[in-house]
Every structure is written in C-alpha cells, then in structure tokens.
Amino acid sequence: MTKKGKHTVLFICLGNICRSPAGEGIMKSLVEKAGLQDEFEIDSAGIGNWHVGQLPDSRMRKCGAEHGYNFNSHARQFQKSDFGRFETIVVMDNENYRAITSMASCQADKDKVVRMADYFSRHAGERIVPDPYYGGPEDFELALDLIEDGCRGILAQCRAAE
C-alpha cells in the first residue's frame, strides 16, 4: 500500500459526486486527525465523465457536514495513468470493480483495485457501498456510514504495514 514512502489511495465510484468524494473527504479527515497527512496522497475519481469539474452532490455534502466532514473536491474521470500514481484503488461496488479492472494493462494494475467492502469491520456482512444518488437521506446516511467504516479499515491496514 505504499509508494515512495507515501500511501497513495484513490477512491472510485460511477460519477465522482457521491461515494468516492465522500471516501476522499473521510479518509483525509481520519489521516489528518492521526497527524499522518504527510504520509498520504488521497484522491477520488469517477468512471464516467458526466460530472467533471463539479462539486459533490449537495445531498452528500450536507450529509457529510452533519458528520463533521467537508466534501469539496471537484469531480474528475479516472485515467489509465492513475494506475501509475496510486498503489490502492478503492471501488465502491462490483460494477466499479469490473470497469476499473478492465482498464488495467497488467495483473499488477488489477491487483491495485480493491473493494471498499474488503475493509468493513462494523458492516462485515455488506459487500458494496450502494449508490445513494437516486435515494433519499437515509441512503446517503448508509453510504456515509459504510464509507466511514471502510476508511477506518484502510487506515488501520496502512498503519499496520509500517
């Protein structure tokens, strides 16, 4: 999970306006609280280009703010060059996994792609972070709770690897 002394983590979802910017924001917050911001490079991207340049969905920003997070990154689309920049590419669901691994040019790149659910501890029975985009506030709460759980697991694994 390390590259040149830094943990490089990229969060992926479909459009980069709900789940992946939440992953980026939560992970940055956890890393900052641990005083480890110099040891991490954290970003997010989407599979599609529909929202490039936009802030995260207002409902996700509101949900995040209610939990003390600031989701203010601007959407961008995943690029094949991201395989070279990031050692860990965290996807939110199985469709994201298929889309990103299909862009890998070698097994080493495919091996960088992991599911957020692999890092759940409180929600060990869940297999994906469902997309809240077409849902209500409860769907954003669930996504945030799952992402928070996964980010804590990612941070714990990074710290254990040191």
Side-chain angles (χ1 to χ4, degrees):
M1 221 179 231
T2 61
K3 180 180 182 181
K4 298 177 187 165
K6 276 196 171 199
H7 300 284
T8 56
V9 183
L10 179 66
F11 294 93
I12 301 288
C13 71
L14 188 59
N16 195 211
I17 60 166
C18 291
R19 297 170 292 171
S20 58
E24 177 185 355
I26 291 169
M27 192 70 184
K28 284 180 175 176
S29 177
L30 293 174
V31 163
E32 186 177 319
K33 285 178 184 166
L36 301 171
Q37 52 271 46
D38 292 341
E39 298 176 30
F40 282 81
E41 178 184 347
I42 303 162
D43 197 4
S44 65
I47 292 165
N49 65 356
W50 315 283
H51 303 289
V52 170
Q54 295 178 14
L55 284 169
D57 185 285
S58 61
R59 297 166 296 171
M60 185 55 88
R61 289 196 323 261
K62 180 178 187 272
C63 185
E66 290 169 355
H67 291 269
Y69 299 112
N70 183 10
F71 303 150
N72 61 1
S73 60
H74 290 267
R76 72 177 186 87
Q77 187 174 16
F78 179 82
Q79 304 295 316
K80 283 187 176 188
S81 61
D82 287 324
F83 284 114
R85 275 186 65 201
F86 295 94
E87 288 301 310
T88 305
I89 300 171
V90 184
V91 299
M92 299 294 165
D93 62 34
N94 294 328
E95 286 299 315
N96 298 163
Y97 184 84
R98 281 189 282 281
I100 298 300
T101 56
S102 74
M103 291 186 231
S105 57
C106 63
Q107 188 60 45
D109 285 349
K110 280 186 182 181
D111 293 343
K112 294 178 179 189
V113 184
V114 296
R115 292 170 176 87
M116 178 63 91
D118 295 341
Y119 298 93
F120 292 164
S121 61
R122 291 188 341 262
H123 301 282
E126 298 292 330
R127 299 312 322 145
I128 65 166
V129 177
D131 191 346
Y133 187 76
Y134 293 105
E138 66 281 358
D139 298 295
F140 284 87
E141 283 290 334
L142 173 62
L144 189 89
D145 192 38
L146 292 168
I147 294 166
E148 221 173 22
D149 188 16
C151 285
R152 290 183 195 286
I154 292 167
L155 181 58
Q157 182 174 343
C158 288
R159 293 184 93 173
E162 294 176 349

